[in-house]
């Protein structure tokens, strides 16, 4: 139990540092901004309680908000995603698992279902984040471009992280 907490804390710190130090400085064509810290919520075990999901999501969002000067946008978007995550796991997760608890991964879901899970999760997060950041629908075309391009870029980065994580786990110990 304590080991799982420290593993989650390690992912929390790693993804926060990557977001703050690397990904916040990437703005492709002025629209696409990757926000791969969302991967943290996607990696939590399926038996994580709703309260724990909300706390982890809010804490991650608040931490990112603190360092990126987006007052409340990341916290609200991550909290929304934390609320939606159990339904997304029911939709995309394995239906033939005997155990109740599993950690979502491409190896378990297969790449197609995992890609759908990531894409819908990232789309929900990006839509909430950029809508709250803009706080207006006046430039709705620019808002849609921000959401679409950032969703595509973030999804590719999260899938790359998962590819690295799954290849790292599948290598035999020497």
């Amino acid at each position: 139990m304590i080991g799982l907490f420290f593993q989650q804390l390690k992912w929390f710190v790693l993804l926060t540092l990557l977001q703050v130090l690397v990904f916040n400085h990437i703005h492709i064509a002025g629209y696409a901004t990757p926000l791969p810290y969302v991967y943290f919520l996607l990696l939590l075990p399926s038996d994580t309680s709703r309260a724990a999901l909300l706390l982890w999501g809010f804490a991650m969002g608040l931490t990112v908000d603190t360092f990126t000067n987006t007052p409340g946008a990341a916290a609200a978007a991550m909290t929304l995603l934390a609320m939606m995550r159990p339904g997304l796991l029911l939709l995309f997760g394995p239906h033939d698992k005997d155990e109740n608890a599993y950690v979502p991964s491409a190896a378990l879901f297969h790449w197609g279902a995992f890609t759908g899970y990531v894409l819908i999760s990232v789309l929900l997060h990006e839509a909430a984040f950029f809508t709250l950041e803009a706080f207006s629908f006046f430039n709705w075309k620019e808002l849609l471009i921000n959401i679409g391009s950032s969703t595509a870029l973030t999804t590719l980065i999260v899938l790359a992280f998962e590819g690295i994580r799954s290849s790292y786990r599948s290598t035999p110990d020497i």
Side-chain angles (χ1 to χ4, degrees):
M1 186 74 158
I2 296 295
L4 179 63
F5 174 78
F6 283 116
Q7 183 179 12
Q8 291 170 346
L9 192 61
K10 177 184 76 169
W11 275 105
F12 184 96
V13 170
L14 176 71
L15 287 170
T16 302
L17 286 174
L18 281 172
Q19 181 65 45
V20 170
L21 298 175
V22 177
F23 293 115
N24 276 348
H25 303 290
I26 298 173
H27 304 287
I28 297 175
Y31 294 108
T33 303
L35 303 172
Y37 62 89
V38 71
Y39 187 48
F40 174 75
L41 270 183
L42 302 180
L43 284 181
L44 292 177
S46 64
D47 64 342
T48 304
S49 70
R50 175 110 11 157
L53 279 173
L54 289 171
L55 285 173
W56 277 116
F58 181 76
M60 174 63 98
L62 188 63
T63 305
V64 169
D65 279 335
T66 301
F67 291 110
T68 60
N69 197 24
T70 54
M78 287 293 280
T79 305
L80 174 69
L81 181 59
M83 282 297 295
M84 302 299 286
R85 184 179 173 265
L88 292 171
L89 284 178
L90 285 175
L91 184 63
F92 291 103
H95 300 291
D96 59 345
K97 286 294 282 183
D98 292 333
E99 307 94 46
N100 290 335
Y102 57 88
V103 175
S105 68
L108 181 66
F109 283 27
H110 302 292
W111 277 102
F114 188 76
T115 301
Y117 168 64
V118 169
L119 182 65
I120 298 299
S121 299
V122 169
L123 181 62
L124 282 169
H125 177 269
E126 306 291 318
F129 180 84
F130 285 110
T131 302
L132 288 170
E133 188 181 45
F135 208 68
S136 168
F137 290 112
F138 184 72
N139 291 329
W140 62 272
K141 290 179 185 176
E142 185 176 329
L143 179 64
L144 289 177
I145 292 170
N146 278 339
I147 292 170
S149 60
S150 295
T151 297
L153 187 58
T154 302
T155 300
L156 288 174
I157 291 170
V158 167
L159 291 176
F161 284 171
E162 179 62 22
I164 293 167
R165 187 176 78 99
S166 64
S167 69
Y168 177 73
R169 288 185 310 146
S170 67
T171 56
D173 293 333
I174 296 176

